[in-house]
Amino acid sequence: TNRGTSTLLPSRGFERECEVRTAPLSQILQPDELTSARIIKIDVEGSEGRVVQGLLSSLPQARQDLEMLIEISPAELELQGTSAGEVIGQLADVGFNAYTIENYYEAYRYVAGAYAQSAVRLSTTPSGTGPFDLVFSRIDAPELPVNWCA
């Protein structure tokens, strides 16, 4: 049932298998690598608050068409003293609008080319504890066409 899940959080009941050093993207990438990124994908099983916090100071120098796809895990965020609303708000404060997008876990959809879709402007933070995906973009529109793989 594990589709590649790994976490820094002990709440999932996993046993520690290995230690991986982490650092903010601004310390891992060269400045030109970060400023030339068109898409950033963040899927860190509840640590997205920390990742976004470490990325905020770099966003003003990023491309204007930068988009970020972030899987938000509300239950795990709460265990770390933050919330999905806070993560969304931090990115809104630096000019990014949030759009909902469906996350398809079936590999055949990608192989068959069934990944083209639109993302709809987020009106309220989704309720519940399960994860959901958002696209963050500087575009301000009711719907955001998503053609990353086209």
Side-chain angles (χ1 to χ4, degrees):
T1 62
N2 181 334
R3 295 185 176 162
T5 299
S6 60
T7 183
L8 299 173
L9 305 174
S11 64
R12 294 267 180 107
F14 295 126
E15 291 185 30
R16 182 172 141 184
E17 291 184 14
C18 66
E19 187 171 313
V20 178
R21 290 184 357 198
T22 63
L25 280 177
S26 60
Q27 292 177 16
I28 295 170
L29 299 176
Q30 296 297 320
D32 63 318
E33 291 175 309
L34 193 53
T35 59
S36 65
R38 167 69 178 89
I39 298 172
I40 296 175
K41 169 76 162 93
I42 301 171
D43 184 349
V44 291
E45 309 302 328
S47 294
E48 49 275 10
R50 292 178 185 178
V51 172
V52 167
Q53 187 65 41
L55 189 57
L56 287 174
S57 64
S58 301
L59 292 178
Q61 295 81 34
R63 292 171 52 147
Q64 286 303 301
D65 62 346
L66 171 69
E67 291 177 327
M68 293 175 283
L69 177 58
I70 304 177
E71 182 185 72
I72 305 284
S73 302
E76 285 84 0
L77 281 170
E78 285 185 22
L79 291 172
Q80 296 185 66
T82 190
S83 69
E86 288 179 62
V87 172
I88 295 166
Q90 288 177 317
L91 289 166
D93 288 346
V94 294
F96 284 85
N97 302 296
Y99 296 83
T100 60
I101 189 167
E102 186 68 33
N103 186 345
Y104 297 113
Y105 290 98
E106 302 89 0
Y108 78 88
R109 290 184 185 263
Y110 296 97
V111 173
Y115 43 71
Q117 60 177 301
S118 292
V120 179
R121 183 71 178 264
L122 183 70
S123 56
T124 61
T125 302
S127 60
T129 58
F132 57 89
D133 288 338
L134 296 176
V135 175
F136 290 88
S137 176
R138 289 185 175 108
I139 294 173
D140 185 3
E143 202 169 278
L144 181 68
V146 178
N147 298 314
W148 298 328
C149 297

